[in-house]
Amino acid sequence: MSIAPIITAHDALPLQDRVVAITGGAQGIGRGIAQAVLGAGGSVMIGDLDVEAGHACLHEWNVGKRAAFRQLDVSREASVRRWINAALAHFDRIDGLVNNAGIADPHRQPLHELSLDTWNRYIGTNLTGAFLCSKYALPSIKNAGGAIVNIASTRALQSEPDTEAYAASKGGLVALTHAMAVSAGPAVRVNAILPGWIATDAWKKPQARHQPKLSKRDHIQHPAGRVGTPEDIGALAVYLLSGASGFVTGQHFVVDGGMTIKMQYV
C-alpha cells in the first residue's frame, strides 16, 4: 500500500539565511530584486557603478549587516574579482547571484553607422559582465547548492530598429543561461528573466526619484492591464533563487504583462 503525498506548507521566508549577490543592485530592477530578497529573509551584496545610489540603499533599508555595498564595474575583471571577494569577506559565502547590471538604452545608430567601440561596450557590459560575475561567484554558489539568475530582456525575442547591439547582448544572455545550466548543474541552477516594460522611475536614488508618468494607453496595451514594476521581477527572482524552483533550470521566463503574445497591427 502506497503512502499518500502530504500537504506541504509554503515557506514564508524562502531565502532565510541565504546570501545573494546582485549586480546593478542600487537602482531600478536591481533594487527591486534586492528588496525582494531582503523581504524573503535573505541578505544581499549589491554592486553598482553609482556609489551614491549604493549608500542610499543601505541607509534607507536600515537592515544592518544583512546588506552590503561595493562599487562595481562588471566590464572590468579586476572590479568583479574585488566585489566577489568583498561579498565573501562580509558574508563568508554566496548562495545566489543575479546578473542584472547592464546598459539599459537599447537604441543606437543604424547598423551601418554603429561603431565597433559601441558594439563592444554593449557586449562587454551586458554579456561579458554576466560571464565574469558568474565565473568568480560560481565556486561559492556550487558549495551552497545555489542558483544564478540572469536578467535579459524581451528584446532577446523581438526588436525595434537600430537595437542590434542591445538585442545581441540580451540574446547572448539567454544562450549563456542554458549553457551554464548544463555545465554547472546539478549543483547550481541557472535561469533567466526577460522583463518587458518596467517602470523604474520611483526606484532610483533619492534625488532622481519620481513617480512614473504613464498614460492609460501605456497600461491598456498590456494584456495584464498595466506597465510592470520592479516588484514583478523581484517576485520571480526570489522563486528562482529559492529551493521552491529546485526542478527548474536552463529556462527563460518572460515577464512583460503579455506584450510579446499580443498581435500588433498598424
mmCIF file of all heavy atoms in Angstrom, residues 51-95:
data_model
loop_
_atom_site.group_PDB
_atom_site.id
_atom_site.type_symbol
_atom_site.label_atom_id
_atom_site.label_comp_id
_atom_site.label_asym_id
_atom_site.label_seq_id
_atom_site.Cartn_x
_atom_site.Cartn_y
_atom_site.Cartn_z
ATOM 1 N N VAL A 51 27.988 55.038 -6.657
ATOM 2 C CA VAL A 51 28.282 54.903 -5.220
ATOM 3 C C VAL A 51 27.197 55.566 -4.384
ATOM 4 O O VAL A 51 26.773 55.038 -3.345
ATOM 5 C CB VAL A 51 29.661 55.509 -4.903
ATOM 6 C CG1 VAL A 51 29.923 55.520 -3.399
ATOM 7 C CG2 VAL A 51 30.758 54.729 -5.624
ATOM 8 N N GLU A 52 26.746 56.731 -4.813
ATOM 9 C CA GLU A 52 25.716 57.463 -4.068
ATOM 10 C C GLU A 52 24.442 56.628 -3.948
ATOM 11 O O GLU A 52 23.834 56.557 -2.872
ATOM 12 C CB GLU A 52 25.436 58.781 -4.781
ATOM 13 C CG GLU A 52 24.580 59.744 -3.992
ATOM 14 C CD GLU A 52 24.436 61.091 -4.685
ATOM 15 O OE1 GLU A 52 24.693 61.158 -5.914
ATOM 16 O OE2 GLU A 52 24.056 62.047 -4.007
ATOM 17 N N ALA A 53 24.055 55.989 -5.037
ATOM 18 C CA ALA A 53 22.848 55.155 -5.015
ATOM 19 C C ALA A 53 23.034 53.954 -4.106
ATOM 20 O O ALA A 53 22.113 53.550 -3.380
ATOM 21 C CB ALA A 53 22.505 54.700 -6.431
ATOM 22 N N GLY A 54 24.239 53.366 -4.121
ATOM 23 C CA GLY A 54 24.506 52.217 -3.260
ATOM 24 C C GLY A 54 24.405 52.548 -1.793
ATOM 25 O O GLY A 54 23.771 51.816 -1.008
ATOM 26 N N HIS A 55 25.002 53.665 -1.390
ATOM 27 C CA HIS A 55 24.939 54.061 0.018
ATOM 28 C C HIS A 55 23.520 54.464 0.419
ATOM 29 O O HIS A 55 23.112 54.241 1.571
ATOM 30 C CB HIS A 55 25.926 55.187 0.284
ATOM 31 C CG HIS A 55 27.363 54.751 0.250
ATOM 32 N ND1 HIS A 55 27.834 53.691 0.991
ATOM 33 C CD2 HIS A 55 28.424 55.229 -0.459
ATOM 34 C CE1 HIS A 55 29.130 53.536 0.767
ATOM 35 N NE2 HIS A 55 29.512 54.442 -0.111
ATOM 36 N N ALA A 56 22.765 55.044 -0.523
ATOM 37 C CA ALA A 56 21.373 55.401 -0.225
ATOM 38 C C ALA A 56 20.552 54.152 0.087
ATOM 39 O O ALA A 56 19.705 54.166 0.985
ATOM 40 C CB ALA A 56 20.763 56.156 -1.406
ATOM 41 N N CYS A 57 20.818 53.066 -0.637
ATOM 42 C CA CYS A 57 20.111 51.812 -0.352
ATOM 43 C C CYS A 57 20.364 51.353 1.076
ATOM 44 O O CYS A 57 19.425 51.010 1.808
ATOM 45 C CB CYS A 57 20.560 50.726 -1.329
ATOM 46 S SG CYS A 57 19.875 50.869 -2.981
ATOM 47 N N LEU A 58 21.624 51.318 1.463
ATOM 48 C CA LEU A 58 21.952 50.851 2.810
ATOM 49 C C LEU A 58 21.288 51.724 3.871
ATOM 50 O O LEU A 58 20.777 51.217 4.886
ATOM 51 C CB LEU A 58 23.472 50.844 3.011
ATOM 52 C CG LEU A 58 24.293 49.952 2.074
ATOM 53 C CD1 LEU A 58 25.757 49.951 2.501
ATOM 54 C CD2 LEU A 58 23.746 48.532 2.036
ATOM 55 N N HIS A 59 21.285 53.036 3.639
ATOM 56 C CA HIS A 59 20.663 53.956 4.596
ATOM 57 C C HIS A 59 19.154 53.751 4.669
ATOM 58 O O HIS A 59 18.572 53.691 5.762
ATOM 59 C CB HIS A 59 20.990 55.398 4.204
ATOM 60 C CG HIS A 59 20.283 56.420 5.038
ATOM 61 N ND1 HIS A 59 20.626 56.687 6.345
ATOM 62 C CD2 HIS A 59 19.213 57.233 4.742
ATOM 63 C CE1 HIS A 59 19.825 57.627 6.834
ATOM 64 N NE2 HIS A 59 18.957 57.966 5.878
ATOM 65 N N GLU A 60 18.505 53.627 3.520
ATOM 66 C CA GLU A 60 17.045 53.517 3.503
ATOM 67 C C GLU A 60 16.560 52.139 3.950
ATOM 68 O O GLU A 60 15.506 52.029 4.581
ATOM 69 C CB GLU A 60 16.517 53.845 2.105
ATOM 70 C CG GLU A 60 16.718 55.307 1.729
ATOM 71 C CD GLU A 60 16.228 55.657 0.337
ATOM 72 O OE1 GLU A 60 16.285 54.783 -0.558
ATOM 73 O OE2 GLU A 60 15.785 56.801 0.147
ATOM 74 N N TRP A 61 17.309 51.108 3.641
ATOM 75 C CA TRP A 61 16.905 49.772 4.072
ATOM 76 C C TRP A 61 17.072 49.596 5.574
ATOM 77 O O TRP A 61 16.237 48.979 6.220
ATOM 78 C CB TRP A 61 17.713 48.703 3.340
ATOM 79 C CG TRP A 61 17.423 48.619 1.882
ATOM 80 C CD1 TRP A 61 16.299 49.058 1.240
ATOM 81 C CD2 TRP A 61 18.280 48.057 0.866
ATOM 82 N NE1 TRP A 61 16.399 48.808 -0.118
ATOM 83 C CE2 TRP A 61 17.595 48.192 -0.373
ATOM 84 C CE3 TRP A 61 19.540 47.461 0.884
ATOM 85 C CZ2 TRP A 61 18.155 47.743 -1.572
ATOM 86 C CZ3 TRP A 61 20.085 47.017 -0.311
ATOM 87 C CH2 TRP A 61 19.397 47.161 -1.529
ATOM 88 N N ASN A 62 18.196 50.066 6.093
ATOM 89 C CA ASN A 62 18.454 50.002 7.544
ATOM 90 C C ASN A 62 18.290 48.584 8.090
ATOM 91 O O ASN A 62 17.571 48.338 9.056
ATOM 92 C CB ASN A 62 17.510 50.975 8.289
ATOM 93 C CG ASN A 62 17.910 51.162 9.747
ATOM 94 O OD1 ASN A 62 19.084 51.040 10.099
ATOM 95 N ND2 ASN A 62 16.933 51.455 10.591
ATOM 96 N N VAL A 63 18.993 47.635 7.439
ATOM 97 C CA VAL A 63 18.894 46.231 7.856
ATOM 98 C C VAL A 63 20.226 45.718 8.428
ATOM 99 O O VAL A 63 20.422 44.505 8.549
ATOM 100 C CB VAL A 63 18.442 45.329 6.691
ATOM 101 C CG1 VAL A 63 17.010 45.655 6.294
ATOM 102 C CG2 VAL A 63 19.386 45.449 5.496
ATOM 103 N N GLY A 64 21.116 46.637 8.767
ATOM 104 C CA GLY A 64 22.377 46.233 9.379
ATOM 105 C C GLY A 64 23.254 45.415 8.462
ATOM 106 O O GLY A 64 23.378 45.696 7.269
ATOM 107 N N LYS A 65 23.828 44.357 9.001
ATOM 108 C CA LYS A 65 24.789 43.545 8.255
ATOM 109 C C LYS A 65 24.147 42.655 7.197
ATOM 110 O O LYS A 65 24.855 41.969 6.462
ATOM 111 C CB LYS A 65 25.604 42.687 9.232
ATOM 112 C CG LYS A 65 26.536 43.502 10.117
ATOM 113 C CD LYS A 65 27.409 42.619 10.989
ATOM 114 C CE LYS A 65 28.382 43.451 11.810
ATOM 115 N NZ LYS A 65 29.254 42.592 12.655
ATOM 116 N N ARG A 66 22.828 42.677 7.106
ATOM 117 C CA ARG A 66 22.159 41.878 6.070
ATOM 118 C C ARG A 66 22.328 42.475 4.678
ATOM 119 O O ARG A 66 22.002 41.826 3.685
ATOM 120 C CB ARG A 66 20.669 41.742 6.384
ATOM 121 C CG ARG A 66 20.353 40.808 7.555
ATOM 122 C CD ARG A 66 18.861 40.736 7.771
ATOM 123 N NE ARG A 66 18.179 40.257 6.573
ATOM 124 C CZ ARG A 66 16.936 40.599 6.244
ATOM 125 N NH1 ARG A 66 16.236 41.453 7.011
ATOM 126 N NH2 ARG A 66 16.379 40.105 5.146
ATOM 127 N N ALA A 67 22.826 43.693 4.591
ATOM 128 C CA ALA A 67 23.045 44.319 3.283
ATOM 129 C C ALA A 67 24.415 44.977 3.256
ATOM 130 O O ALA A 67 24.844 45.595 4.238
ATOM 131 C CB ALA A 67 21.964 45.356 2.998
ATOM 132 N N ALA A 68 25.105 44.818 2.140
ATOM 133 C CA ALA A 68 26.418 45.443 1.957
ATOM 134 C C ALA A 68 26.508 45.955 0.521
ATOM 135 O O ALA A 68 25.813 45.476 -0.378
ATOM 136 C CB ALA A 68 27.534 44.444 2.236
ATOM 137 N N PHE A 69 27.384 46.938 0.321
ATOM 138 C CA PHE A 69 27.564 47.540 -0.997
ATOM 139 C C PHE A 69 29.045 47.758 -1.265
ATOM 140 O O PHE A 69 29.806 48.112 -0.372
ATOM 141 C CB PHE A 69 26.835 48.881 -1.089
ATOM 142 C CG PHE A 69 27.264 49.707 -2.284
ATOM 143 C CD1 PHE A 69 26.829 49.384 -3.557
ATOM 144 C CD2 PHE A 69 28.122 50.787 -2.131
ATOM 145 C CE1 PHE A 69 27.234 50.119 -4.670
ATOM 146 C CE2 PHE A 69 28.536 51.536 -3.231
ATOM 147 C CZ PHE A 69 28.084 51.200 -4.499
ATOM 148 N N ARG A 70 29.421 47.534 -2.535
ATOM 149 C CA ARG A 70 30.735 47.920 -3.027
ATOM 150 C C ARG A 70 30.587 48.337 -4.482
ATOM 151 O O ARG A 70 29.833 47.715 -5.234
ATOM 152 C CB ARG A 70 31.741 46.774 -2.918
ATOM 153 C CG ARG A 70 33.157 47.195 -3.336
ATOM 154 C CD ARG A 70 34.126 46.038 -3.317
ATOM 155 N NE ARG A 70 35.434 46.462 -3.778
ATOM 156 C CZ ARG A 70 36.508 46.629 -2.994
ATOM 157 N NH1 ARG A 70 36.420 46.368 -1.705
ATOM 158 N NH2 ARG A 70 37.659 47.034 -3.499
ATOM 159 N N GLN A 71 31.289 49.398 -4.848
ATOM 160 C CA GLN A 71 31.222 49.849 -6.236
ATOM 161 C C GLN A 71 31.693 48.736 -7.158
ATOM 162 O O GLN A 71 32.645 48.019 -6.867
ATOM 163 C CB GLN A 71 32.084 51.094 -6.440
ATOM 164 C CG GLN A 71 31.904 51.714 -7.820
ATOM 165 C CD GLN A 71 32.710 52.991 -7.990
ATOM 166 O OE1 GLN A 71 33.773 53.151 -7.412
ATOM 167 N NE2 GLN A 71 32.189 53.916 -8.788
ATOM 168 N N LEU A 72 31.013 48.624 -8.318
ATOM 169 C CA LEU A 72 31.287 47.524 -9.240
ATOM 170 C C LEU A 72 31.144 47.983 -10.676
ATOM 171 O O LEU A 72 30.153 48.611 -11.047
ATOM 172 C CB LEU A 72 30.304 46.368 -8.973
ATOM 173 C CG LEU A 72 30.296 45.225 -9.986
ATOM 174 C CD1 LEU A 72 31.627 44.475 -9.967
ATOM 175 C CD2 LEU A 72 29.136 44.272 -9.710
ATOM 176 N N ASP A 73 32.144 47.654 -11.481
ATOM 177 C CA ASP A 73 32.082 47.801 -12.929
ATOM 178 C C ASP A 73 32.187 46.396 -13.506
ATOM 179 O O ASP A 73 33.268 45.801 -13.535
ATOM 180 C CB ASP A 73 33.232 48.681 -13.437
ATOM 181 C CG ASP A 73 33.200 48.893 -14.944
ATOM 182 O OD1 ASP A 73 32.449 48.185 -15.638
ATOM 183 O OD2 ASP A 73 33.941 49.770 -15.437
ATOM 184 N N VAL A 74 31.062 45.847 -13.962
ATOM 185 C CA VAL A 74 31.036 44.442 -14.381
ATOM 186 C C VAL A 74 31.857 44.181 -15.642
ATOM 187 O O VAL A 74 32.160 43.031 -15.955
ATOM 188 C CB VAL A 74 29.590 43.933 -14.591
ATOM 189 C CG1 VAL A 74 28.811 43.956 -13.289
ATOM 190 C CG2 VAL A 74 28.873 44.722 -15.682
ATOM 191 N N SER A 75 32.214 45.238 -16.359
ATOM 192 C CA SER A 75 33.007 45.059 -17.573
ATOM 193 C C SER A 75 34.499 44.947 -17.294
ATOM 194 O O SER A 75 35.280 44.678 -18.212
ATOM 195 C CB SER A 75 32.758 46.222 -18.548
ATOM 196 O OG SER A 75 33.301 47.436 -18.046
ATOM 197 N N ARG A 76 34.891 45.128 -16.027
ATOM 198 C CA ARG A 76 36.317 45.071 -15.654
ATOM 199 C C ARG A 76 36.539 43.883 -14.723
ATOM 200 O O ARG A 76 35.961 43.810 -13.636
ATOM 201 C CB ARG A 76 36.749 46.370 -14.974
ATOM 202 C CG ARG A 76 36.644 47.597 -15.872
ATOM 203 C CD ARG A 76 36.907 48.847 -15.061
ATOM 204 N NE ARG A 76 38.202 48.763 -14.402
ATOM 205 C CZ ARG A 76 39.225 49.597 -14.645
ATOM 206 N NH1 ARG A 76 39.081 50.552 -15.540
ATOM 207 N NH2 ARG A 76 40.351 49.474 -14.005
ATOM 208 N N GLU A 77 37.382 42.964 -15.146
ATOM 209 C CA GLU A 77 37.584 41.728 -14.389
ATOM 210 C C GLU A 77 38.101 41.994 -12.983
ATOM 211 O O GLU A 77 37.666 41.354 -12.024
ATOM 212 C CB GLU A 77 38.532 40.801 -15.143
ATOM 213 C CG GLU A 77 38.660 39.423 -14.500
ATOM 214 C CD GLU A 77 39.353 38.413 -15.393
ATOM 215 O OE1 GLU A 77 39.924 38.817 -16.429
ATOM 216 O OE2 GLU A 77 39.313 37.211 -15.059
ATOM 217 N N ALA A 78 39.021 42.939 -12.848
ATOM 218 C CA ALA A 78 39.574 43.234 -11.524
ATOM 219 C C ALA A 78 38.495 43.751 -10.575
ATOM 220 O O ALA A 78 38.471 43.417 -9.386
ATOM 221 C CB ALA A 78 40.711 44.248 -11.638
ATOM 222 N N SER A 79 37.583 44.576 -11.092
ATOM 223 C CA SER A 79 36.486 45.102 -10.274
ATOM 224 C C SER A 79 35.553 43.982 -9.835
ATOM 225 O O SER A 79 35.115 43.936 -8.679
ATOM 226 C CB SER A 79 35.716 46.163 -11.069
ATOM 227 O OG SER A 79 34.640 46.676 -10.310
ATOM 228 N N VAL A 80 35.255 43.063 -10.742
ATOM 229 C CA VAL A 80 34.397 41.921 -10.406
ATOM 230 C C VAL A 80 35.059 41.066 -9.336
ATOM 231 O O VAL A 80 34.411 40.658 -8.355
ATOM 232 C CB VAL A 80 34.096 41.085 -11.661
ATOM 233 C CG1 VAL A 80 33.411 39.771 -11.287
ATOM 234 C CG2 VAL A 80 33.243 41.876 -12.644
ATOM 235 N N ARG A 81 36.345 40.790 -9.499
ATOM 236 C CA ARG A 81 37.060 39.969 -8.529
ATOM 237 C C ARG A 81 37.033 40.614 -7.139
ATOM 238 O O ARG A 81 36.783 39.940 -6.124
ATOM 239 C CB ARG A 81 38.500 39.765 -8.987
ATOM 240 C CG ARG A 81 39.262 38.718 -8.162
ATOM 241 C CD ARG A 81 40.734 38.668 -8.535
ATOM 242 N NE ARG A 81 40.950 38.435 -9.956
ATOM 243 C CZ ARG A 81 41.505 39.313 -10.779
ATOM 244 N NH1 ARG A 81 41.877 40.500 -10.354
ATOM 245 N NH2 ARG A 81 41.685 39.004 -12.060
ATOM 246 N N ARG A 82 37.257 41.932 -7.076
ATOM 247 C CA ARG A 82 37.228 42.628 -5.781
ATOM 248 C C ARG A 82 35.840 42.585 -5.159
ATOM 249 O O ARG A 82 35.697 42.429 -3.943
ATOM 250 C CB ARG A 82 37.682 44.085 -5.966
ATOM 251 C CG ARG A 82 39.170 44.257 -6.232
ATOM 252 C CD ARG A 82 39.587 45.704 -6.112
ATOM 253 N NE ARG A 82 38.962 46.557 -7.110
ATOM 254 C CZ ARG A 82 39.498 46.839 -8.291
ATOM 255 N NH1 ARG A 82 40.692 46.328 -8.610
ATOM 256 N NH2 ARG A 82 38.879 47.637 -9.140
ATOM 257 N N TRP A 83 34.811 42.727 -6.006
ATOM 258 C CA TRP A 83 33.441 42.724 -5.500
ATOM 259 C C TRP A 83 33.068 41.365 -4.917
ATOM 260 O O TRP A 83 32.493 41.284 -3.818
ATOM 261 C CB TRP A 83 32.481 43.103 -6.627
ATOM 262 C CG TRP A 83 31.050 43.177 -6.228
ATOM 263 C CD1 TRP A 83 30.476 44.056 -5.358
ATOM 264 C CD2 TRP A 83 29.989 42.327 -6.707
ATOM 265 N NE1 TRP A 83 29.119 43.814 -5.262
ATOM 266 C CE2 TRP A 83 28.800 42.767 -6.080
ATOM 267 C CE3 TRP A 83 29.942 41.274 -7.609
ATOM 268 C CZ2 TRP A 83 27.558 42.161 -6.324
ATOM 269 C CZ3 TRP A 83 28.713 40.671 -7.859
ATOM 270 C CH2 TRP A 83 27.540 41.110 -7.214
ATOM 271 N N ILE A 84 33.392 40.304 -5.609
ATOM 272 C CA ILE A 84 33.099 38.959 -5.111
ATOM 273 C C ILE A 84 33.875 38.699 -3.820
ATOM 274 O O ILE A 84 33.334 38.153 -2.845
ATOM 275 C CB ILE A 84 33.429 37.892 -6.170
ATOM 276 C CG1 ILE A 84 32.476 38.011 -7.366
ATOM 277 C CG2 ILE A 84 33.360 36.488 -5.565
ATOM 278 C CD1 ILE A 84 31.019 37.751 -7.059
ATOM 279 N N ASN A 85 35.141 39.086 -3.776
ATOM 280 C CA ASN A 85 35.950 38.905 -2.563
ATOM 281 C C ASN A 85 35.370 39.694 -1.391
ATOM 282 O O ASN A 85 35.387 39.225 -0.241
ATOM 283 C CB ASN A 85 37.397 39.311 -2.818
ATOM 284 C CG ASN A 85 38.146 38.315 -3.683
ATOM 285 O OD1 ASN A 85 37.747 37.150 -3.795
ATOM 286 N ND2 ASN A 85 39.225 38.737 -4.306
ATOM 287 N N ALA A 86 34.845 40.892 -1.665
ATOM 288 C CA ALA A 86 34.226 41.690 -0.602
ATOM 289 C C ALA A 86 32.972 41.005 -0.069
ATOM 290 O O ALA A 86 32.706 41.012 1.142
ATOM 291 C CB ALA A 86 33.886 43.087 -1.128
ATOM 292 N N ALA A 87 32.192 40.405 -0.971
ATOM 293 C CA ALA A 87 30.997 39.670 -0.538
ATOM 294 C C ALA A 87 31.369 38.489 0.344
ATOM 295 O O ALA A 87 30.743 38.237 1.388
ATOM 296 C CB ALA A 87 30.207 39.197 -1.756
ATOM 297 N N LEU A 88 32.404 37.761 -0.053
ATOM 298 C CA LEU A 88 32.836 36.604 0.735
ATOM 299 C C LEU A 88 33.419 37.035 2.077
ATOM 300 O O LEU A 88 33.216 36.365 3.099
ATOM 301 C CB LEU A 88 33.869 35.797 -0.055
ATOM 302 C CG LEU A 88 33.330 35.108 -1.323
ATOM 303 C CD1 LEU A 88 34.471 34.482 -2.118
ATOM 304 C CD2 LEU A 88 32.293 34.048 -0.966
ATOM 305 N N ALA A 89 34.117 38.168 2.093
ATOM 306 C CA ALA A 89 34.673 38.666 3.353
ATOM 307 C C ALA A 89 33.569 39.094 4.314
ATOM 308 O O ALA A 89 33.675 38.905 5.530
ATOM 309 C CB ALA A 89 35.624 39.833 3.076
ATOM 310 N N HIS A 90 32.497 39.676 3.773
ATOM 311 C CA HIS A 90 31.412 40.174 4.622
ATOM 312 C C HIS A 90 30.476 39.065 5.082
ATOM 313 O O HIS A 90 30.066 39.035 6.244
ATOM 314 C CB HIS A 90 30.618 41.237 3.861
ATOM 315 C CG HIS A 90 29.560 41.914 4.674
ATOM 316 N ND1 HIS A 90 29.805 43.041 5.423
ATOM 317 C CD2 HIS A 90 28.237 41.613 4.872
ATOM 318 C CE1 HIS A 90 28.690 43.419 6.040
ATOM 319 N NE2 HIS A 90 27.719 42.557 5.721
ATOM 320 N N PHE A 91 30.142 38.140 4.175
ATOM 321 C CA PHE A 91 29.120 37.131 4.472
ATOM 322 C C PHE A 91 29.661 35.704 4.607
ATOM 323 O O PHE A 91 28.910 34.802 4.973
ATOM 324 C CB PHE A 91 28.055 37.129 3.362
ATOM 325 C CG PHE A 91 27.234 38.383 3.284
ATOM 326 C CD1 PHE A 91 27.419 39.283 2.235
ATOM 327 C CD2 PHE A 91 26.279 38.684 4.239
ATOM 328 C CE1 PHE A 91 26.652 40.440 2.144
ATOM 329 C CE2 PHE A 91 25.507 39.832 4.159
ATOM 330 C CZ PHE A 91 25.697 40.712 3.104
ATOM 331 N N ASP A 92 30.913 35.500 4.243
ATOM 332 C CA ASP A 92 31.558 34.172 4.282
ATOM 333 C C ASP A 92 31.142 33.247 3.142
ATOM 334 O O ASP A 92 31.770 32.219 2.925
ATOM 335 C CB ASP A 92 31.302 33.437 5.617
ATOM 336 C CG ASP A 92 31.950 34.145 6.783
ATOM 337 O OD1 ASP A 92 33.051 34.710 6.607
ATOM 338 O OD2 ASP A 92 31.353 34.144 7.871
ATOM 339 N N ARG A 93 30.087 33.592 2.405
ATOM 340 C CA ARG A 93 29.647 32.722 1.318
ATOM 341 C C ARG A 93 28.716 33.509 0.402
ATOM 342 O O ARG A 93 28.235 34.588 0.745
ATOM 343 C CB ARG A 93 28.913 31.499 1.853
ATOM 344 C CG ARG A 93 27.547 31.795 2.430
ATOM 345 C CD ARG A 93 26.891 30.572 3.025
ATOM 346 N NE ARG A 93 25.474 30.760 3.231
ATOM 347 C CZ ARG A 93 24.952 31.407 4.278
ATOM 348 N NH1 ARG A 93 25.743 31.925 5.203
ATOM 349 N NH2 ARG A 93 23.638 31.526 4.392
ATOM 350 N N ILE A 94 28.467 32.937 -0.774
ATOM 351 C CA ILE A 94 27.465 33.458 -1.699
ATOM 352 C C ILE A 94 26.585 32.285 -2.114
ATOM 353 O O ILE A 94 27.070 31.284 -2.623
ATOM 354 C CB ILE A 94 28.109 34.095 -2.948
ATOM 355 C CG1 ILE A 94 29.011 35.272 -2.565
ATOM 356 C CG2 ILE A 94 27.033 34.556 -3.929
ATOM 357 C CD1 ILE A 94 29.829 35.821 -3.729
ATOM 358 N N ASP A 95 25.288 32.397 -1.873
ATOM 359 C CA ASP A 95 24.343 31.334 -2.211
ATOM 360 C C ASP A 95 23.676 31.553 -3.558
ATOM 361 O O ASP A 95 23.200 30.600 -4.181
ATOM 362 C CB ASP A 95 23.251 31.235 -1.136
ATOM 363 C CG ASP A 95 23.830 30.950 0.243
ATOM 364 O OD1 ASP A 95 24.425 29.884 0.413
ATOM 365 O OD2 ASP A 95 23.682 31.812 1.134
#
